[in-house]
Amino acid sequence: MDTSIGTGNPIDRVEGHLKVTGMAKYSSEFPVDKMLYAQAINSTIAKGEISSIDISEAKKQKGVVEIITYKNAEKLKTPDKKLPPLSTTSIQPVLQSPQVHYYGEYVGLVVAETFEQAQYAARLVKIKYKKETPKIDFKNHRADAYKPEEESDYSRGDVEAGLAEADQKLEATYNTPIEHHHPMELHAVIASWENGKVKAYASQQMINDAAVTISNTFQIPKEDVRVIAPFVGGGFGSKLHAKQHVILAIMAAKKTGRPVQLTVTRHQMFTNTNLRQHNEQKVSIGAAKDGSLTALAHEIVSHTSTYEEYQEPCGTVSKMLYKVPNNKVTHRLVPVNLQTPFAMRAPGEATGSFALESAMDEMAWKLKMDPIEFRIKNDTQTDPSNDKPFSSRLLVECLRIGADKFGWDKRKMEPAKNTNGNWLVGYGVSGASRAAPYQETSSKVILTLKDGTVLATIQMDATDIGTGSYTIIAQTASEYLDIPVGQVVVQLADSLFPVTPGSGGSWGAASYCNGARMACQNAIKELKQKLNVGDEKKMSVKELMTGNKLTTYEAQGTAKPSEAFKEHSVYSFGANFAEVWVDKDTGMFRIKRMLNVGACGKILNPKTAFGQIIGGLTMGAGMVIAEQTRVEPNFGNFITRSFADYHVPVNLDMANVEVVFLPEEDKIANEMGVKGIGELGITSVAASIANAIFNATGKRMRDLPITPEKLIMAGVEPGVA
Amino acid sequence: MRPFVYTQPQNPQAAVSAAAANKQARYLGGGTNLIDLMKEDVERPTELIEVADLSFNDIKSNGAGGYTLGAMASNADTANHPDIRKNYPLLSMAMLSAATAQIRNMATNGGNLLQRTRCPYFFETSMPCNKREPGTGCGARKGMNAQHAIFGWNDQCVAVNPSDMCVALAAIGATVQVQQAGGKTRTIDFADFHRLPGDQPEKDNTLQPNELITAIELPKPIFADHYYYLKIRERSSYAFALISVAAGLQMEGGSIAKAGLAMGGVAHKPWKLTEAEAFLSGKKPTQENFEQAAELAMRPARTLPDNEYKIEMGKKAIIRALTQAYEKNA
Ligand SMILES: Cc1cc2nc3c(=O)[nH]c(=O)nc-3n(C[C@H](O)[C@H](O)[C@H](O)COP(=O)(O)OP(=O)(O)OC[C@H]3O[C@@H](n4cnc5c(N)ncnc54)[C@H](O)[C@@H]3O)c2cc1C
Ligand code: SF4
């Protein structure tokens, strides 16, 4: 039993033993009676219409119970406009028409007694298509670019004037490729109908939003939908909303009258769980001789699907990170025959910061200024995008302390001057910011007194997607009830529990913990009131329970952002440092060291926090090393089909990683002073590595990933471009 | 996956007979390639035959100064065998650069020789591919071909052989022992084992139907002191080579007596650099000679629209591999 009390201790995960012993149940693992297995069928064209479906062979196979296509699918709610914005609660109709919008779209479902039978029969369903020429690469269809309805453009001051008065100007275009979220746990669901109500064990990041999607898609009351996901093996944004496979399983369960399990295959993780789109980002910067920015424009062109709209806010960081009077951000989208993109870890920041923080490095080199001093020169304590003060902002401290720890003074300003045998050695830096949102969150605490010991159970529909929610919520309850962590049980991720915003957008830790805090504080307050003792009187929970002659007591609490929160800009800040060695002949490079310094509020548990940052750094490094989904230009299918060819970093790619958290007290952010870290760690990592590659080689690499092929073609030899 | 039966004949001959009796049967090595392709519906065997003869696992000296590698010995056991490490470190180095520890534990030597190309069109049954379905066309030729061949390709197929082990074997020289129906055996020179696409891109090698690989014979070791396997890839491990070079040098009195040189990731077969080998023979191990060898080696290269980078990368890789090979124990 964990006898520590409160937050701030680097305790092990409270659910750790369940995971390592295989006792933690993930969505597809629940024992459900009479369960059937479903296998979804994917289209093999990117655009067109189904002309015929032959299920005769498949239907004959042993174990096959049902085959669903658009011809016999239940009618679902469909969108009432052409390109509805995709959100975490959007309806997800599926199999509603013979139209095909992208390669791999679901066109059918086979339900059978066993997984193998379903898989086999799915291959025997013969579908013929009337093909049309798809639009695949948005760069070939720029004429179709449009301005999305949602806040896509922003401006302050006059960028043209700002550029005109600049002593140094830079205009550069950066590309980030299509990426996929690829959490380790495949998307999965077990759906059933009981007494007209839906029950779904579904691997989701946001329980309540998933229930909304299901209820709206089937047009049934939300109260009739229960979503359960006690353990989720990662999401990175791909599990924010209930996707079509969830709808398919629920539809199949209704049709067959039996529970249905559907697991999305790794291959389908490419085609059916959304993606991070290819962004083309043009950045224009003007700066005066002394390094002060005079103008910054960030223009983004990207793609969405032909049936939904998603816009990644890549300009977020450019609006607020530096003091610049003239600023402009624009977004344009081209609809293409690929599935709809959706939020992937640090949507906007991860990709936008690559462009911005690379451009800042380019400008620093033009000005012959140290890139750290250049950033510090343009620091601001007021958010220039809305004139609100930052609740706290330690960007300068992150940069300075990081420089000191990293040995930045050993960096040679002039590129390609630091060599070691066949290696060209470079140092790079970047600044990072990520909003620290906080949302209304409810929670329940159930106190029991047994054999003289108080046990507390916390319930909320929060999720733990591998991040450590269970642990930090237990630590929070332990702190506010003043009992050891081992006497707290945390129950999460069930629609029957009080509503939280779920895991996403880096708001989980702050929201969940403050929600749990409120429930605990209310419990104590209520128990004191019952005893007619004042708030200030110190009494243990045990004394309160015995005093009230209670063996069990329940309380609820809801936390929400304060007025002060709304009057401030609340962000986490950080700085990344990278030392990279580039092989002068092969174009291969090694990230030798990385350092991340973060100022992100109260650290609830240094161990889980560290995990979040190194995960972010690894994913950020992946953006540079090789992570990339390749699309066949004629057929529109992804030719990266598995982890054998979708390259994420391996251990050997990640050298020494050091993480430093600066102490920060920010009570404006929320009462506990907790800020988000889940996405800070990935933000601008790619830029720090690309900047180090420039420092090593003199070659500015503006298109991710930076593969050996690209470095060879850039002609990596000592010499300055 | 489609249903199939699994049989375990007790000896090679029984295995060959079983294969001869069923056209849809395949031999099973570690399954790391075959089972993957079955899951993708590219391979559709109705029977998997796994030889249960342990002598297939042996790695032993062959009495003629060389070594015999059993067809069923794992890639890991082969690469880590003390005699192989000592006598054929180039082979060890190449094999250990491949895949992951887990895959190398499963993969067999016979299977490694027969692993299929990683061309993405070959893997996706809805795409055209002459290798998978003769006559459908080559998707890669008109589509994405950055990872494809620069030597020996034609419009029928531009795929590359993905094996690292085979590049080292091409540099070292070897023979492949095979068992035929009716108890006969046959020896194939390694240089003739794999083939260029020609007008039969579906055929990767010169094995006859049902022939079973029993062993690989290695010649007397001559590159134990000066060797290097350079593998250029997109990440530090668990990635196929964009380009690889196996270089072995036999030094005598400060000159190169014999060079063994082969490239991977460039052709439908492990690409032996015969001209460069001949050029280096008798030469001093100088940078200029290495550069000339690289020029010679790359002269017949023909790029595809997406793989122009392979020329420069190839040259640099050859020079680097030769330099490293020479400097190792120089
Ligand atoms: C993710 C991944 C990454 C990889 N990376 C690399 C890499 O970087 N470099 C590299 O070189 N390789 C790599 N490999 C490939 C790996 O080396 C091969 O899959 C392996 O060597 C095949 O051996 P196996 O025994 O598993 O063959 P199997 O899959 O069992 O068989 C392959 C073929 O050989 C036939 N066969 C097997 N044994 C015999 C025999 N004795 N006689 C006749 N036919 C036979 C089978 O019928 C089948 O057609 C990778 C594989 C994977 C899955
Ligand atoms: S290169 Fe060969 S394997 Fe690839 S598509 Fe063409 S024919 Fe098929």
Side-chain angles (χ1 to χ4, degrees):
Chain A
M1 192 189 90
D2 199 313
T3 54
S4 72
I5 295 182
T7 60
N9 303 312
I11 65 166
D12 290 345
R13 283 163 192 261
V14 295
E15 83 289 10
H17 67 285
L18 287 180
K19 286 185 172 163
V20 297
T21 55
M23 302 287 283
K25 286 215 166 8
Y26 290 81
S27 295
S28 65
E29 299 178 328
F30 285 84
V32 175
D33 264 356
K34 298 208 173 118
M35 189 171 81
L36 294 168
Y37 293 81
Q39 172 73 40
I41 305 172
N42 302 88
S43 77
T44 54
I45 63 161
K47 188 180 182 205
E49 202 181 300
I50 297 173
S51 52
S52 73
I53 302 177
D54 176 2
I55 61 167
S56 54
E57 188 68 22
K59 192 86 208 212
K60 281 207 297 257
Q61 300 304 315
K62 190 168 154 227
V64 173
V65 174
E66 184 68 70
I67 297 176
I68 308 177
T69 67
Y70 81 92
K71 294 186 171 177
N72 60 345
E74 178 179 350
K75 288 290 157 261
L76 303 170
K77 174 95 178 100
T78 50
D80 30 28
K81 62 191 239 187
K82 194 161 169 277
L83 284 173
L86 177 56
S87 78
T88 54
T89 53
S90 297
I91 52 167
Q92 291 288 296
V94 56
L95 303 185
Q96 297 297 295
S97 89
Q99 298 302 322
V100 175
H101 306 85
Y102 59 95
Y103 190 104
E105 184 168 359
Y106 292 135
V107 288
L109 187 78
V110 175
V111 190
E113 296 289 344
T114 72
F115 171 66
E116 290 76 11
Q117 288 167 340
Q119 251 200 341
Y120 177 49
R123 278 205 172 134
L124 302 176
V125 174
K126 294 188 194 74
I127 303 181
K128 291 213 172 85
Y129 300 93
K130 213 160 70 209
K131 273 191 218 177
E132 290 169 49
T133 310
K135 292 183 177 177
I136 302 299
D137 186 349
F138 75 90
K139 294 195 175 188
N140 298 332
H141 303 282
R142 284 179 197 276
D144 299 347
Y146 74 99
K147 182 174 155 184
E149 262 175 48
E150 274 188 36
E151 259 185 74
S152 59
D153 289 5
Y154 164 88
S155 100
R156 64 173 179 265
D158 180 344
V159 165
E160 298 309 318
L163 284 171
E165 76 184 61
D167 295 317
Q168 284 289 354
K169 282 192 276 262
L170 168 86
E171 187 186 298
T173 300
Y174 304 86
N175 282 282
T176 54
I178 294 180
E179 290 189 336
H180 276 86
H181 309 72
H182 278 311
M184 283 308 285
E185 185 210 10
L186 300 167
H187 285 241
V189 55
I190 299 175
S192 57
W193 288 79
E194 286 162 25
N195 309 320
K197 295 182 180 182
V198 171
K199 181 169 160 192
Y201 297 98
S203 188
Q204 296 296 140
Q205 294 176 228
M206 296 159 77
I207 297 299
N208 191 56
D209 286 17
V212 172
T213 292
I214 295 167
S215 96
N216 288 344
T217 307
F218 284 96
Q219 302 276 288
I220 54 175
K222 203 193 115 199
E223 297 68 50
D224 292 354
V225 179
R226 181 173 170 201
V227 177
I228 305 167
F231 295 99
V232 177
F236 306 121
S238 75
K239 294 173 181 168
L240 288 171
H241 66 274
K243 295 188 199 295
Q244 288 180 335
H245 66 275
V246 176
I247 304 300
L248 279 174
I250 295 171
M251 189 194 280
K254 192 172 184 184
K255 241 188 163 57
T256 58
R258 287 169 64 179
V260 171
Q261 196 240 64
L262 198 168
T263 299
V264 171
T265 64
R266 184 57 69 185
H267 196 180
Q268 290 170 335
M269 295 286 285
F270 284 94
T271 48
N272 306 88
T273 62
N274 302 98
L275 47 79
R276 165 124 69 201
Q277 75 291 351
H278 174 169
N279 297 308
E280 181 188 86
Q281 307 180 61
K282 187 172 99 181
V283 179
S284 312
I285 298 189
K289 268 200 212 80
D290 70 350
S292 23
L293 290 168
T294 60
L296 167 60
H298 193 155
E299 295 160 89
I300 300 122
V301 187
S302 186
H303 53 98
T304 186
S305 69
T306 58
Y307 56 95
E308 273 169 341
E309 175 180 293
Y310 175 75
Q311 170 199 163
E312 185 180 9
C314 299
T316 308
V317 186
S318 293
K319 290 183 207 169
M320 52 62 64
L321 190 53
Y322 299 113
K323 184 170 62 195
V324 49
N326 306 301
N327 180 227
K328 176 173 92 173
V329 171
T330 63
H331 288 91
R332 295 294 175 269
L333 291 176
V334 180
V336 297
N337 293 104
L338 294 174
Q339 59 169 323
T340 318
F342 200 54
M344 177 163 154
R345 199 175 196 174
E349 286 90 356
T351 46
S353 67
F354 168 66
L356 175 67
E357 289 301 281
S358 294
M360 287 295 283
D361 199 70
E362 296 204 42
M363 182 49 97
W365 172 238
K366 273 182 183 256
L367 292 163
K368 298 287 175 291
M369 250 178 114
D370 180 277
I372 292 180
E373 296 309 320
F374 178 46
R375 287 178 172 83
I376 290 174
K377 174 88 193 165
N378 291 291
D379 187 50
T380 170
Q381 289 296 321
T382 305
D383 183 340
S385 73
N386 55 19
D387 292 329
K388 291 180 185 175
F390 286 109
S391 62
S392 60
R393 167 167 163 135
L394 298 181
L395 177 66
V396 172
E397 290 76 359
C398 289
L399 287 163
R400 288 235 189 276
I401 291 167
D404 196 41
K405 283 198 180 294
F406 198 69
W408 186 252
D409 54 343
K410 287 188 216 65
R411 172 183 186 262
K412 295 196 167 72
M413 171 111 132
E414 180 106 354
K417 285 285 182 272
N418 190 355
T419 59
N420 182 357
N422 288 318
W423 298 102
L424 308 171
V425 179
Y427 286 39
V429 69
S430 63
S433 62
R434 163 69 213 184
Y438 167 45
Q439 300 194 22
E440 181 169 325
T441 300
S442 299
S443 164
K444 181 199 262 186
V445 60
I446 305 160
L447 299 170
T448 56
L449 180 64
K450 204 179 159 197
D451 304 332
T453 305
V454 175
L455 274 183
T457 301
I458 302 283
Q459 291 180 337
M460 58 211 302
D461 81 358
T463 52
D464 188 325
I465 58 172
T467 44
S469 311
Y470 278 108
T471 310
I472 55 172
I473 294 168
Q475 287 179 286
T476 302
S478 146
E479 179 160 324
Y480 288 91
L481 297 171
D482 199 18
I483 57 173
V485 171
Q487 285 166 232
V488 181
V489 173
V490 181
Q491 296 178 341
L492 300 181
D494 188 323
S495 303
L496 298 179
F497 299 154
V499 172
T500 75
S503 296
S506 293
W507 57 63
S511 307
Y512 299 162
C513 291
N514 279 289
R517 168 185 64 80
M518 283 300 285
C520 295
Q521 287 178 328
N522 285 350
I524 288 173
K525 196 152 89 207
E526 289 164 22
L527 288 170
K528 281 184 180 168
Q529 275 166 1
K530 281 181 186 288
L531 286 179
N532 279 321
V533 299
D535 260 354
E536 30 353 287
K537 180 153 163 67
K538 234 186 130 30
M539 286 179 78
S540 71
V541 184
K542 188 174 159 183
E543 286 164 350
L544 287 167
M545 294 287 281
T546 17
N548 276 302
K549 300 199 172 42
L550 286 169
T551 51
T552 173
Y553 186 74
E554 278 185 30
Q556 301 247 8
T558 297
K560 47 179 124 183
S562 63
E563 282 311 307
F565 177 89
K566 291 172 199 157
E567 285 156 13
H568 287 79
S569 259
V570 185
Y571 281 82
S572 294
F573 289 92
N576 293 301
F577 294 80
E579 178 179 335
V580 178
W581 291 24
V582 184
D583 186 309
K584 69 177 177 54
D585 291 327
T586 65
M588 285 184 76
F589 64 84
R590 284 286 154 88
I591 301 166
K592 283 282 170 179
R593 295 191 292 144
M594 282 205 267
L595 166 68
N596 173 283
V597 185
C600 30
K602 179 181 177 66
I603 300 304
L604 294 158
N605 179 332
K607 211 176 208 173
T608 52
F610 178 69
Q612 283 300 297
I613 300 289
I614 48 173
L617 290 172
T618 309
M619 229 165 161
M623 290 172 69
V624 190
I625 296 169
E627 206 165 324
Q628 161 179 34
T629 299
R630 294 186 170 107
V631 187
E632 214 290 338
N634 306 313
F635 299 93
N637 60 312
F638 300 126
I639 68 159
T640 31
R641 309 157 43 87
S642 72
F643 281 138
D645 32 38
Y646 185 82
H647 288 165
V648 297
V650 294
N651 283 324
L652 208 53
D653 289 318
M654 299 298 295
N656 295 317
V657 174
E658 197 185 341
V659 177
V660 175
F661 294 115
L662 299 186
E664 192 180 48
E665 271 272 318
D666 187 340
K667 296 285 180 195
I668 295 170
N670 48 68
E671 288 78 347
M672 291 176 70
V674 177
K675 287 178 169 183
I677 53 173
E679 291 165 304
L680 181 68
I682 188 177
T683 302
S684 86
V685 178
S688 68
I689 298 167
N691 294 342
I693 289 176
F694 173 76
N695 185 240
T697 64
K699 301 293 174 196
R700 183 60 68 179
M701 306 304 289
R702 301 190 182 96
D703 296 344
L704 296 183
I706 305 175
T707 55
E709 164 186 345
K710 288 182 192 160
L711 279 166
I712 290 277
M713 289 309 271
V716 173
E717 298 272 11
V720 178
Chain B
M1 219 185 273
R2 291 167 193 266
F4 60 88
V5 294
Y6 168 69
T7 53
Q8 270 186 308
Q10 294 305 307
N11 57 57
Q13 222 164 300
V16 176
S17 305
N22 179 0
K23 266 200 159 118
Q24 312 296 333
R26 289 273 187 296
Y27 298 121
L28 178 66
T32 60
N33 189 226
L34 182 57
I35 305 280
D36 269 10
L37 290 169
M38 286 165 67
K39 289 185 192 164
E40 302 280 4
D41 213 26
V42 173
E43 293 273 11
R44 302 173 185 182
T46 57
E47 179 179 355
L48 292 184
I49 302 170
E50 185 172 21
V51 190
D53 183 340
L54 290 178
S55 68
F56 264 40
N57 292 352
D58 284 351
I59 294 160
K60 53 177 195 268
S61 126
N62 66 6
Y67 271 79
T68 304
L69 311 178
M72 287 292 276
S74 76
N75 285 181
D77 286 348
T78 307
N80 293 320
H81 193 285
D83 290 354
I84 302 302
R85 285 202 159 214
K86 181 163 161 270
N87 296 307
Y88 306 96
L90 176 58
L91 181 62
S92 270
M93 195 177 177
M95 292 180 83
L96 293 174
S97 77
T100 61
Q102 292 91 330
I103 291 171
R104 294 194 297 268
N105 283 336
M106 284 304 292
T108 63
N109 293 334
N112 194 315
L113 260 50
L114 296 179
Q115 63 172 299
R116 313 292 318 260
T117 184
R118 307 301 298 193
C119 173
Y121 296 84
F122 175 71
F123 269 78
E124 172 58 67
T125 52
S126 68
M127 301 279 109
C129 170
N130 284 329
K131 188 178 277 303
R132 180 172 29 77
E133 237 182 298
T136 52
C138 171
R141 178 71 185 91
K142 293 201 192 78
M144 301 180 88
N145 44 42
Q147 321 269 350
H148 291 71
I150 52 172
F151 296 114
W153 55 267
N154 61 22
D155 286 344
Q156 299 252 353
C157 179
V158 294
V160 297
N161 180 299
S163 167
D164 289 300
M165 177 188 191
C166 290
V167 182
L169 288 176
I172 294 168
T175 57
V176 182
Q177 308 296 324
V178 302
Q179 174 98 33
Q180 298 178 308
K184 278 188 290 194
T185 61
R186 181 165 89 97
T187 299
I188 309 169
D189 193 73
F190 192 73
D192 301 326
F193 184 80
H194 294 96
R195 58 188 295 285
L196 291 176
D199 52 12
Q200 275 186 302
E202 70 279 13
K203 285 189 71 168
D204 294 350
N205 53 59
T206 53
L207 279 182
Q208 300 299 317
N210 312 326
E211 278 186 335
L212 175 74
I213 301 175
T214 53
I216 300 161
E217 295 289 339
L218 299 180
K220 227 171 119 208
I222 54 171
F223 301 132
D225 291 334
H226 297 277
Y227 64 91
Y228 198 74
Y229 188 71
L230 177 70
K231 180 171 177 181
I232 304 180
R233 47 183 150 178
E234 285 190 352
R235 58 180 169 185
S236 311
S237 83
Y238 195 26
F240 288 92
L242 295 168
I243 277 196
S244 68
V245 177
L249 297 173
Q250 185 186 23
M251 300 299 299
E252 259 173 40
S255 293
I256 300 166
K258 193 168 186 312
L261 207 53
M263 269 181 124
V266 292
H268 197 259
K269 59 187 285 187
W271 194 247
K272 193 163 171 69
L273 306 177
T274 323
E275 253 187 285
E277 285 177 347
F279 167 81
L280 286 170
S281 159
K283 297 267 177 0
K284 295 268 180 243
T286 62
Q287 202 60 24
E288 297 72 60
N289 284 332
F290 292 162
E291 280 168 19
Q292 271 202 46
E295 285 295 332
L296 269 178
M298 297 307 293
R299 221 162 40 192
R302 281 180 303 138
T303 57
L304 294 160
D306 299 341
N307 70 8
E308 200 196 328
Y309 73 94
K310 285 197 177 180
I311 302 280
E312 188 61 18
M313 189 183 273
K315 270 184 208 162
K316 285 184 163 165
I318 293 170
I319 299 166
R320 173 68 75 81
L322 284 166
T323 311
Q324 300 274 80
Y326 172 60
E327 283 171 3
K328 202 151 226 161
N329 297 329

